[in-house]
Amino acid sequence: MTERRLAPLTALTTLGRRPPRPVPVPTPSGATASAVLSDAPAVPSRIVDNAVYSEGRRVATPESPAESREELLHGEGRLAWLGLYRPGPGELGGLAELFDLPELAVEDAIKAHQRPKFERYGSTLFVVLKAARYLDAAEEVEFGELHLFLGPDFAITVRHSESPDLSRVRRRLESDPELLARGSEAVLYATLDAVVDGYRPVVDGLANDIDEIETQVFGGDPGVSRRIYELSQEVLEFQRAAQPLTGIIAALTAGFDKYGVDEELRSYLRDVADHVIQVNERVEGFRLQLRDILTVNATLVAQRQNEEIRELTETSIAQGEEVKKISAWAAILFAPSLVGGVYGMNFDHMPELDEVWGYPFALLLMVGVSLTLYLVFKRRDWI
């Protein structure tokens, strides 16, 4: 955890903030004067749910963040919980002004694509979590991002993906008013628990994918190398999402005494920490296992390539032997043809034609040359 300076909200023009409004003050009759808040121009809302709780029970469902801010003034110990889905800069800017959110954290929430982290700005906590879910059809992991702003009397969740399903988190806490009555820390715990619980199907899916890859590797599937690489990238991304949670929970644990966190919440967070450790251990095991599988696959590919080269070499050698045999017999047959060709020429002055021994000499010459060539080639294993 890093404790950062509470950034002033004086230059949020890039967030599309509305003009500053005075804080509502009680009137003599006990009501609140919030004319400026109620007269603000309407902005298309991306708020999924907006509720105000007292002692863990929903007491109001305001239609706007301004009404939520006003509801907090009607009693002590109230908690406003706003859930947003992919809000725009203007809407986040309005919330930043209403709830005095730190500018740096709001900018991070707008840009998204943040790494999991936990920061404290005065009395406001800013937490970034990475959710993950396994898509069975595509056999891949989908990652999402979640931002939480937590104050003494408010909890704002900004979701940039389909997971986790924060409506289930809200229903869980609403069904346990005693837990929700502990304030925004309970929202943080339940959200952390939901994110970590969402990791379990991902771990199971990755384990199944690795088993399939092992079968492909030893089955000689030529496309398995690409799948190993893609799965390795998913495991690394998953590790980047889950590993920082250990530090986040450790930072929360370190502040238990300083910020007076309820003892029951402490035990809940320790339970979440145990689950995170288990997930991280399995993910690290996946990373090492995939590294070993990649090494084995490279070895098997090299062996198959060597076998193919050996077979090609043997084929080439066999072809060479056949060529040598053909060449040897061609040379043997060429010698009689050469002698016969010479004696077959129709010249008048050929001394051998008039000799009695000319014909047997020619035959002996052809046989002798052929036999000599045969013995030479036989000695050299050409035949």
Side-chain angles (χ1 to χ4, degrees):
M1 181 198 73
T2 57
E3 184 159 351
R4 299 169 63 174
R5 178 177 57 85
L6 184 61
L9 295 173
T10 57
L12 274 175
T13 55
T14 57
L15 308 182
R17 290 181 57 203
R18 289 170 283 187
R21 294 186 285 273
V23 177
V25 295
T27 61
S29 60
T32 56
S34 56
V36 179
L37 293 177
S38 60
D39 293 340
V43 178
S45 176
R46 299 185 187 181
I47 298 177
V48 178
D49 201 350
N50 182 6
V52 175
Y53 300 90
S54 177
E55 297 182 355
R57 303 184 184 278
R58 185 185 290 236
V59 295
T61 306
E63 296 183 358
S64 68
E67 292 181 13
S68 298
R69 180 80 265 183
E70 184 178 352
E71 285 287 341
L72 293 177
L73 302 175
H74 293 169
E76 294 183 359
R78 291 195 168 198
L79 174 70
W81 183 359
L82 294 87
L84 291 83
Y85 176 70
R86 293 179 178 173
E91 193 160 18
L92 278 178
L95 288 172
E97 183 182 345
L98 284 171
F99 293 94
D100 197 21
L101 303 181
E103 179 181 354
L104 297 178
V106 174
E107 290 177 352
D108 288 345
I110 290 174
K111 295 176 182 178
H113 303 293
Q114 304 292 319
R115 297 198 66 182
K117 61 181 178 179
F118 168 69
E119 295 175 341
R120 186 180 295 275
Y121 298 84
S123 61
T124 301
L125 300 182
F126 176 61
V127 183
V128 179
L129 303 175
K130 285 283 190 178
R133 64 173 180 170
Y134 186 80
L135 304 178
D136 291 317
E139 291 189 339
E140 62 182 24
V141 182
E142 180 184 78
F143 297 94
E145 194 166 328
L146 178 65
H147 301 254
L148 294 91
F149 296 90
L150 305 167
D153 57 357
F154 67 86
I156 299 173
T157 57
V158 180
R159 186 161 51 95
H160 291 277
S161 61
E162 299 300 326
S163 61
D165 185 3
L166 293 184
S167 62
R168 297 178 60 183
V169 176
R170 190 183 290 266
R171 288 195 299 270
R172 174 192 173 186
L173 288 176
E174 287 182 343
S175 66
D176 188 357
E178 291 185 6
L179 178 59
L180 184 54
R182 291 174 170 83
S184 58
E185 291 89 352
V187 176
L188 175 58
Y189 151 70
T191 304
L192 272 170
D193 193 42
V195 170
V196 175
D197 284 346
Y199 289 163
R200 296 176 184 175
V202 177
V203 169
D204 294 337
L206 290 174
N208 184 64
D209 287 345
I210 291 175
D211 291 339
E212 292 179 357
I213 282 178
E214 288 179 336
T215 302
Q216 288 180 283
V217 166
F218 292 102
D221 188 343
V224 70
S225 297
R226 180 182 182 89
R227 191 177 181 193
I228 293 174
Y229 173 78
E230 291 175 348
L231 189 58
S232 298
Q233 295 302 307
E234 289 184 352
V235 169
L236 287 175
E237 186 69 20
F238 190 27
Q239 196 171 37
R240 296 190 191 103
Q243 203 167 45
L245 291 184
T246 303
I248 290 175
I249 296 176
L252 288 170
T253 304
F256 280 168
D257 294 329
K258 180 178 179 180
Y259 296 99
V261 178
D262 183 83
E263 184 59 36
E264 187 174 358
L265 275 180
R266 298 185 186 191
S267 63
Y268 288 157
L269 285 171
R270 282 192 289 267
D271 181 65
V272 174
D274 291 339
H275 294 163
V276 171
I277 291 173
Q278 294 173 10
V279 169
N280 284 326
E281 288 176 349
R282 293 202 64 185
V283 173
E284 177 63 16
F286 290 159
R287 188 184 67 82
L288 297 176
Q289 190 175 359
L290 284 170
R291 185 189 64 185
D292 294 340
I293 290 175
L294 188 61
T295 301
V296 171
N297 182 64
T299 302
L300 293 176
V301 169
Q303 289 178 349
R304 287 194 293 268
Q305 290 177 342
N306 292 337
E307 184 67 23
E308 292 174 356
I309 292 174
R310 186 184 64 81
E311 292 176 357
L312 289 173
T313 303
E314 290 178 353
T315 302
S316 178
I317 291 173
Q319 290 176 345
E321 292 297 324
E322 295 298 325
V323 170
K324 287 194 295 183
K325 290 180 180 180
I326 295 173
S327 300
W329 284 111
I332 292 172
L333 294 176
F334 174 73
S337 300
L338 177 62
V339 175
V342 171
Y343 277 92
M345 291 186 291
N346 298 320
F347 291 109
D348 294 332
H349 302 286
M350 291 186 69
E352 296 85 358
L353 296 178
D354 297 331
E355 299 295 338
V356 176
W357 48 265
Y359 176 69
F361 173 76
L363 291 178
L364 289 174
L365 181 61
M366 287 187 284
V367 172
V369 172
S370 299
L371 182 60
T372 302
L373 291 175
Y374 177 81
L375 293 175
V376 171
F377 291 136
K378 186 70 174 177
R379 185 175 181 181
R380 296 184 178 182
D381 293 330
W382 279 41
I383 298 177

